[in-house]
Amino acid sequence: MKKFFLIIAIAICATTMAAAQIASMQQSKTDKAFNSFKERFVLALWKQYPDWASGEGYHKYDSILVLPDNKERNNSITFCKAYTDSLQKFNIELLNDNNKTDYRMVMARLEAQQWYINNYKAYQWNPATYNICGDFAEMLANNYELLDIRLRNFYLKMKNVKAYYETAKQNIINPTIEHTQLAIDQNEGGKSAFSDDLTEALKKSNLPAAEKEAIVSRAAEATTAINDYIVFLKEFKNTTPRSFRLGEELYAKKFEYDIQSGYTAKEMFAFAQAEKETLHKKMFDVTTSLWQKYFGKEPIPENKLAAIKRMIDTISVNHVQPDSFQTEIERQIPVLTKFVNDKKLLYLDPSKPLVVRKEPAYMAGVAGASISSPGPYDKNGNTYYNVGSISGWDKDRAESYLREYNHYMLQILNIHEAIPGHYAQLIYANLSPSIIKTIFGNGAMVEGWAVYTERMMLENGYGNDEKEMWLMYYKWNLRTVCNTILDNSVHTKNMSKNDAISFLINEAFQQKAEAEGKWKRVSVSQVQLCSYFSGYKEIYDLRTALQQKQGASFNLKKFHEKFLSYGSAPVKYIKELMLK
Ligand code: ZN
Ligand code: ZN
């Protein structure tokens, strides 16, 4: 009797195992098929969009310049429809988590691509869409291939420049004044790729003289085409210019496609409004508690925002000297790393230290700091932390910059850009390599993570809970919140320039120059300014939800590592998988 039971038990066990094995084999079979689909898809994508390919470091189609005409747009739609069909042949439920998110990201992108052509129609109203200069300049500056080979591709690609700009002129119907000006500035600024930059490159080249001459003469034609385009834009009889404001309907949809949030643009706007009030309140509380320390018996101003501003200005005087800006950043990186390790916030791979360097000349101009990482086809490339140089700036400009990136803010900047912000996220993304996520990486997740880590570090005691640090953090965080409010208000609520500037100065405590710059940015871009706050909010909410669900067993380090293991996927997909 006993023996009989045992046999049955073993038999049952064997069947369950077999079922599990079959399930896992089936899964890996689907995953295998999906992996090869992705490879085919990406190669086809590059063939369809050669410029995009070159930009990602895939140089097979460098010599091709596609004309932005109706034929191209129709091809693009056909391409998207065909790949949507192939995608639908897969059962998403059978894919592993990595492939599940890839599947949805490709699907969303194919849909977005069609919407951009059919509904958004930037090709009609944004003349700045037509600018070849950057791609050509890249061919000269970027050392991915022998110079002479790059120059030959440069020559071949130039063949279509004239036709390209002729097509552009035909496409433009009712351009906005702002994008028209942007197009003039950018084409004007970029055309040196066909003169000075090219001359420099030709000096270093070993091509035969006849070939060099052919290049020079074709470059002259390209320059003429660009100049003609600039004249065309300057003389354009724009009797009914389109507004640069996107309007509610298009804005909502663009938000959906670009941010891929679990919330609508409207909902995110409401969250940002509420968050702004919360931050103001917190900032006033900190200001009140610091007041005596800095102002003694002087009474605190009745206007709360004015009191906060006064405190921020006072604290900002604590900053490094111009010549130690970069060394201070270098000093902080190991300090941040040690803090993350000691507090067990996230595993950081010690074999991949971050290289801090002075911003290279070709990136020049934009001071500040940024992370540059190798593209999907440059696996051995280094990741750098580029630090903009302020040497050579006049005294006032440098002082204003150093006050902005004062003692406290500089640390928050390093958390955001480097550890455990962008740089750490990047290393994790590379651990589960997905070319789909490298190409279609979700900006809101990437920025959201960096913004999230700022608060997370302070919450865990970074900066010793110093009140000044918190105040500066709130100011920094308020910028992302106000970016969302500004973007939405300008594009869907007709916010005027004056109102926008005073909003940024009075409610976000920005300098006039910064506010003016932001206005310029919001008048030629839409939705992107929302990505920081959207991603941050969704990550923070996800953490709260998991804390509630897991109670005492919630572990912050595990949460971070698990979250990052999904790569640069939209937070809403990661959320679904993590809450499952
Ligand atoms: Zn100073
Ligand atoms: Zn960032």
Side-chain angles (χ1 to χ4, degrees), residues 12-36:
I12 288 171
C13 194
T15 2
T16 346
M17 264 181 61
Q21 247 167 11
I22 289 166
S24 98
M25 271 169 63
Q26 202 177 20
Q27 185 174 41
S28 63
K29 207 178 134 198
T30 314
D31 280 319
K32 237 176 126 181
F34 189 73
N35 289 338
S36 58

PDB file of all heavy atoms in Angstrom, residues 12-36:
ATOM      1  N   ILE A  12       3.261  11.500 -10.195  1.00  0.00           N
ATOM      2  CA  ILE A  12       2.691  12.852 -10.244  1.00  0.00           C
ATOM      3  C   ILE A  12       3.800  13.892 -10.352  1.00  0.00           C
ATOM      4  O   ILE A  12       3.779  14.797 -11.174  1.00  0.00           O
ATOM      5  CB  ILE A  12       1.815  13.126  -8.984  1.00  0.00           C
ATOM      6  CG1 ILE A  12       0.529  12.321  -9.089  1.00  0.00           C
ATOM      7  CG2 ILE A  12       1.505  14.606  -8.854  1.00  0.00           C
ATOM      8  CD1 ILE A  12      -0.310  12.326  -7.833  1.00  0.00           C
ATOM      9  N   CYS A  13       4.801  13.656  -9.504  1.00  0.00           N
ATOM     10  CA  CYS A  13       5.940  14.568  -9.504  1.00  0.00           C
ATOM     11  C   CYS A  13       6.571  14.645 -10.896  1.00  0.00           C
ATOM     12  O   CYS A  13       6.881  15.717 -11.398  1.00  0.00           O
ATOM     13  CB  CYS A  13       6.959  14.085  -8.485  1.00  0.00           C
ATOM     14  SG  CYS A  13       8.203  15.317  -8.122  1.00  0.00           S
ATOM     15  N   ALA A  14       6.721  13.473 -11.505  1.00  0.00           N
ATOM     16  CA  ALA A  14       7.338  13.430 -12.828  1.00  0.00           C
ATOM     17  C   ALA A  14       6.494  14.188 -13.852  1.00  0.00           C
ATOM     18  O   ALA A  14       7.034  14.930 -14.681  1.00  0.00           O
ATOM     19  CB  ALA A  14       7.531  11.989 -13.259  1.00  0.00           C
ATOM     20  N   THR A  15       5.159  14.001 -13.775  1.00  0.00           N
ATOM     21  CA  THR A  15       4.319  14.717 -14.740  1.00  0.00           C
ATOM     22  C   THR A  15       4.427  16.227 -14.539  1.00  0.00           C
ATOM     23  O   THR A  15       4.507  16.982 -15.492  1.00  0.00           O
ATOM     24  CB  THR A  15       2.815  14.341 -14.611  1.00  0.00           C
ATOM     25  OG1 THR A  15       2.684  13.434 -13.531  1.00  0.00           O
ATOM     26  CG2 THR A  15       2.265  13.772 -15.865  1.00  0.00           C
ATOM     27  N   THR A  16       4.410  16.650 -13.259  1.00  0.00           N
ATOM     28  CA  THR A  16       4.504  18.098 -13.009  1.00  0.00           C
ATOM     29  C   THR A  16       5.823  18.630 -13.567  1.00  0.00           C
ATOM     30  O   THR A  16       5.865  19.678 -14.202  1.00  0.00           O
ATOM     31  CB  THR A  16       4.470  18.413 -11.501  1.00  0.00           C
ATOM     32  OG1 THR A  16       4.045  17.261 -10.794  1.00  0.00           O
ATOM     33  CG2 THR A  16       3.571  19.581 -11.216  1.00  0.00           C
ATOM     34  N   MET A  17       6.873  17.869 -13.310  1.00  0.00           N
ATOM     35  CA  MET A  17       8.162  18.312 -13.807  1.00  0.00           C
ATOM     36  C   MET A  17       8.178  18.407 -15.321  1.00  0.00           C
ATOM     37  O   MET A  17       8.660  19.379 -15.887  1.00  0.00           O
ATOM     38  CB  MET A  17       9.255  17.346 -13.356  1.00  0.00           C
ATOM     39  CG  MET A  17       9.963  17.814 -12.093  1.00  0.00           C
ATOM     40  SD  MET A  17      11.247  16.679 -11.621  1.00  0.00           S
ATOM     41  CE  MET A  17      12.325  16.757 -13.051  1.00  0.00           C
ATOM     42  N   ALA A  18       7.600  17.376 -15.938  1.00  0.00           N
ATOM     43  CA  ALA A  18       7.582  17.388 -17.394  1.00  0.00           C
ATOM     44  C   ALA A  18       6.808  18.602 -17.910  1.00  0.00           C
ATOM     45  O   ALA A  18       7.267  19.294 -18.824  1.00  0.00           O
ATOM     46  CB  ALA A  18       6.948  16.097 -17.902  1.00  0.00           C
ATOM     47  N   ALA A  19       5.679  18.888 -17.247  1.00  0.00           N
ATOM     48  CA  ALA A  19       4.881  20.034 -17.677  1.00  0.00           C
ATOM     49  C   ALA A  19       5.680  21.329 -17.541  1.00  0.00           C
ATOM     50  O   ALA A  19       5.687  22.178 -18.429  1.00  0.00           O
ATOM     51  CB  ALA A  19       3.595  20.113 -16.851  1.00  0.00           C
ATOM     52  N   ALA A  20       6.379  21.422 -16.405  1.00  0.00           N
ATOM     53  CA  ALA A  20       7.180  22.626 -16.167  1.00  0.00           C
ATOM     54  C   ALA A  20       8.284  22.746 -17.208  1.00  0.00           C
ATOM     55  O   ALA A  20       8.564  23.825 -17.732  1.00  0.00           O
ATOM     56  CB  ALA A  20       7.777  22.596 -14.762  1.00  0.00           C
ATOM     57  N   GLN A  21       8.889  21.569 -17.488  1.00  0.00           N
ATOM     58  CA  GLN A  21       9.974  21.567 -18.470  1.00  0.00           C
ATOM     59  C   GLN A  21       9.477  21.992 -19.845  1.00  0.00           C
ATOM     60  O   GLN A  21      10.090  22.798 -20.520  1.00  0.00           O
ATOM     61  CB  GLN A  21      10.563  20.167 -18.568  1.00  0.00           C
ATOM     62  CG  GLN A  21      11.984  20.122 -18.053  1.00  0.00           C
ATOM     63  CD  GLN A  21      12.484  18.709 -17.838  1.00  0.00           C
ATOM     64  OE1 GLN A  21      11.837  17.743 -18.261  1.00  0.00           O
ATOM     65  NE2 GLN A  21      13.606  18.592 -17.185  1.00  0.00           N
ATOM     66  N   ILE A  22       8.309  21.417 -20.203  1.00  0.00           N
ATOM     67  CA  ILE A  22       7.742  21.765 -21.504  1.00  0.00           C
ATOM     68  C   ILE A  22       7.459  23.270 -21.546  1.00  0.00           C
ATOM     69  O   ILE A  22       7.795  23.953 -22.509  1.00  0.00           O
ATOM     70  CB  ILE A  22       6.452  20.951 -21.776  1.00  0.00           C
ATOM     71  CG1 ILE A  22       6.842  19.488 -22.045  1.00  0.00           C
ATOM     72  CG2 ILE A  22       5.693  21.515 -22.974  1.00  0.00           C
ATOM     73  CD1 ILE A  22       5.677  18.526 -22.004  1.00  0.00           C
ATOM     74  N   ALA A  23       6.879  23.761 -20.449  1.00  0.00           N
ATOM     75  CA  ALA A  23       6.554  25.188 -20.399  1.00  0.00           C
ATOM     76  C   ALA A  23       7.811  26.025 -20.590  1.00  0.00           C
ATOM     77  O   ALA A  23       7.831  26.984 -21.355  1.00  0.00           O
ATOM     78  CB  ALA A  23       5.886  25.536 -19.074  1.00  0.00           C
ATOM     79  N   SER A  24       8.888  25.609 -19.895  1.00  0.00           N
ATOM     80  CA  SER A  24      10.092  26.423 -19.985  1.00  0.00           C
ATOM     81  C   SER A  24      10.754  26.270 -21.359  1.00  0.00           C
ATOM     82  O   SER A  24      11.331  27.213 -21.881  1.00  0.00           O
ATOM     83  CB  SER A  24      11.060  26.080 -18.851  1.00  0.00           C
ATOM     84  OG  SER A  24      12.048  25.185 -19.304  1.00  0.00           O
ATOM     85  N   MET A  25      10.642  25.067 -21.946  1.00  0.00           N
ATOM     86  CA  MET A  25      11.200  24.881 -23.282  1.00  0.00           C
ATOM     87  C   MET A  25      10.439  25.719 -24.301  1.00  0.00           C
ATOM     88  O   MET A  25      11.011  26.347 -25.174  1.00  0.00           O
ATOM     89  CB  MET A  25      11.126  23.413 -23.693  1.00  0.00           C
ATOM     90  CG  MET A  25      12.360  22.610 -23.277  1.00  0.00           C
ATOM     91  SD  MET A  25      12.078  20.855 -23.515  1.00  0.00           S
ATOM     92  CE  MET A  25      11.861  20.784 -25.297  1.00  0.00           C
ATOM     93  N   GLN A  26       9.099  25.712 -24.102  1.00  0.00           N
ATOM     94  CA  GLN A  26       8.261  26.478 -25.004  1.00  0.00           C
ATOM     95  C   GLN A  26       8.610  27.955 -24.895  1.00  0.00           C
ATOM     96  O   GLN A  26       8.728  28.653 -25.879  1.00  0.00           O
ATOM     97  CB  GLN A  26       6.802  26.253 -24.605  1.00  0.00           C
ATOM     98  CG  GLN A  26       5.839  26.540 -25.705  1.00  0.00           C
ATOM     99  CD  GLN A  26       4.422  26.227 -25.246  1.00  0.00           C
ATOM    100  OE1 GLN A  26       4.146  26.151 -24.061  1.00  0.00           O
ATOM    101  NE2 GLN A  26       3.539  26.043 -26.178  1.00  0.00           N
ATOM    102  N   GLN A  27       8.806  28.377 -23.625  1.00  0.00           N
ATOM    103  CA  GLN A  27       9.137  29.769 -23.417  1.00  0.00           C
ATOM    104  C   GLN A  27      10.459  30.118 -24.093  1.00  0.00           C
ATOM    105  O   GLN A  27      10.554  31.096 -24.808  1.00  0.00           O
ATOM    106  CB  GLN A  27       9.225  30.059 -21.925  1.00  0.00           C
ATOM    107  CG  GLN A  27       9.442  31.525 -21.650  1.00  0.00           C
ATOM    108  CD  GLN A  27       9.393  31.821 -20.175  1.00  0.00           C
ATOM    109  OE1 GLN A  27       9.916  31.076 -19.370  1.00  0.00           O
ATOM    110  NE2 GLN A  27       8.750  32.899 -19.828  1.00  0.00           N
ATOM    111  N   SER A  28      11.447  29.251 -23.885  1.00  0.00           N
ATOM    112  CA  SER A  28      12.724  29.597 -24.485  1.00  0.00           C
ATOM    113  C   SER A  28      12.650  29.518 -26.014  1.00  0.00           C
ATOM    114  O   SER A  28      13.360  30.241 -26.696  1.00  0.00           O
ATOM    115  CB  SER A  28      13.829  28.705 -23.936  1.00  0.00           C
ATOM    116  OG  SER A  28      13.578  27.377 -24.278  1.00  0.00           O
ATOM    117  N   LYS A  29      11.772  28.666 -26.519  1.00  0.00           N
ATOM    118  CA  LYS A  29      11.608  28.603 -27.973  1.00  0.00           C
ATOM    119  C   LYS A  29      11.011  29.923 -28.498  1.00  0.00           C
ATOM    120  O   LYS A  29      11.484  30.482 -29.480  1.00  0.00           O
ATOM    121  CB  LYS A  29      10.687  27.419 -28.334  1.00  0.00           C
ATOM    122  CG  LYS A  29      10.935  26.851 -29.714  1.00  0.00           C
ATOM    123  CD  LYS A  29      10.010  25.663 -29.976  1.00  0.00           C
ATOM    124  CE  LYS A  29       9.380  25.785 -31.349  1.00  0.00           C
ATOM    125  NZ  LYS A  29       8.202  24.933 -31.476  1.00  0.00           N
ATOM    126  N   THR A  30       9.981  30.410 -27.807  1.00  0.00           N
ATOM    127  CA  THR A  30       9.377  31.688 -28.206  1.00  0.00           C
ATOM    128  C   THR A  30      10.390  32.827 -28.052  1.00  0.00           C
ATOM    129  O   THR A  30      10.506  33.685 -28.921  1.00  0.00           O
ATOM    130  CB  THR A  30       8.143  31.997 -27.332  1.00  0.00           C
ATOM    131  OG1 THR A  30       7.356  30.824 -27.260  1.00  0.00           O
ATOM    132  CG2 THR A  30       7.327  33.114 -27.926  1.00  0.00           C
ATOM    133  N   ASP A  31      11.119  32.779 -26.942  1.00  0.00           N
ATOM    134  CA  ASP A  31      12.124  33.820 -26.732  1.00  0.00           C
ATOM    135  C   ASP A  31      13.187  33.787 -27.816  1.00  0.00           C
ATOM    136  O   ASP A  31      13.633  34.824 -28.294  1.00  0.00           O
ATOM    137  CB  ASP A  31      12.777  33.657 -25.352  1.00  0.00           C
ATOM    138  CG  ASP A  31      11.900  34.240 -24.254  1.00  0.00           C
ATOM    139  OD1 ASP A  31      11.313  35.314 -24.471  1.00  0.00           O
ATOM    140  OD2 ASP A  31      11.771  33.603 -23.190  1.00  0.00           O
ATOM    141  N   LYS A  32      13.561  32.554 -28.180  1.00  0.00           N
ATOM    142  CA  LYS A  32      14.577  32.409 -29.217  1.00  0.00           C
ATOM    143  C   LYS A  32      14.083  33.020 -30.529  1.00  0.00           C
ATOM    144  O   LYS A  32      14.795  33.773 -31.186  1.00  0.00           O
ATOM    145  CB  LYS A  32      14.883  30.923 -29.426  1.00  0.00           C
ATOM    146  CG  LYS A  32      16.347  30.567 -29.240  1.00  0.00           C
ATOM    147  CD  LYS A  32      16.539  29.083 -29.357  1.00  0.00           C
ATOM    148  CE  LYS A  32      17.592  28.751 -30.398  1.00  0.00           C
ATOM    149  NZ  LYS A  32      17.768  27.289 -30.524  1.00  0.00           N
ATOM    150  N   ALA A  33      12.854  32.692 -30.851  1.00  0.00           N
ATOM    151  CA  ALA A  33      12.276  33.226 -32.082  1.00  0.00           C
ATOM    152  C   ALA A  33      12.168  34.752 -31.996  1.00  0.00           C
ATOM    153  O   ALA A  33      12.441  35.467 -32.965  1.00  0.00           O
ATOM    154  CB  ALA A  33      10.894  32.618 -32.316  1.00  0.00           C
ATOM    155  N   PHE A  34      11.797  35.221 -30.830  1.00  0.00           N
ATOM    156  CA  PHE A  34      11.643  36.668 -30.670  1.00  0.00           C
ATOM    157  C   PHE A  34      12.996  37.376 -30.763  1.00  0.00           C
ATOM    158  O   PHE A  34      13.108  38.450 -31.342  1.00  0.00           O
ATOM    159  CB  PHE A  34      10.958  36.990 -29.334  1.00  0.00           C
ATOM    160  CG  PHE A  34      10.583  38.441 -29.207  1.00  0.00           C
ATOM    161  CD1 PHE A  34       9.522  38.960 -29.937  1.00  0.00           C
ATOM    162  CD2 PHE A  34      11.294  39.293 -28.369  1.00  0.00           C
ATOM    163  CE1 PHE A  34       9.171  40.304 -29.839  1.00  0.00           C
ATOM    164  CE2 PHE A  34      10.947  40.639 -28.265  1.00  0.00           C
ATOM    165  CZ  PHE A  34       9.891  41.144 -29.000  1.00  0.00           C
ATOM    166  N   ASN A  35      14.017  36.738 -30.192  1.00  0.00           N
ATOM    167  CA  ASN A  35      15.349  37.328 -30.278  1.00  0.00           C
ATOM    168  C   ASN A  35      15.811  37.478 -31.723  1.00  0.00           C
ATOM    169  O   ASN A  35      16.401  38.483 -32.089  1.00  0.00           O
ATOM    170  CB  ASN A  35      16.358  36.490 -29.489  1.00  0.00           C
ATOM    171  CG  ASN A  35      16.140  36.618 -27.991  1.00  0.00           C
ATOM    172  OD1 ASN A  35      15.551  37.590 -27.531  1.00  0.00           O
ATOM    173  ND2 ASN A  35      16.593  35.634 -27.235  1.00  0.00           N
ATOM    174  N   SER A  36      15.516  36.471 -32.529  1.00  0.00           N
ATOM    175  CA  SER A  36      15.964  36.625 -33.919  1.00  0.00           C
ATOM    176  C   SER A  36      15.056  37.605 -34.668  1.00  0.00           C
ATOM    177  O   SER A  36      15.520  38.301 -35.574  1.00  0.00           O
ATOM    178  CB  SER A  36      16.114  35.281 -34.639  1.00  0.00           C
ATOM    179  OG  SER A  36      14.922  34.588 -34.621  1.00  0.00           O
TER     180      SER A  36
END
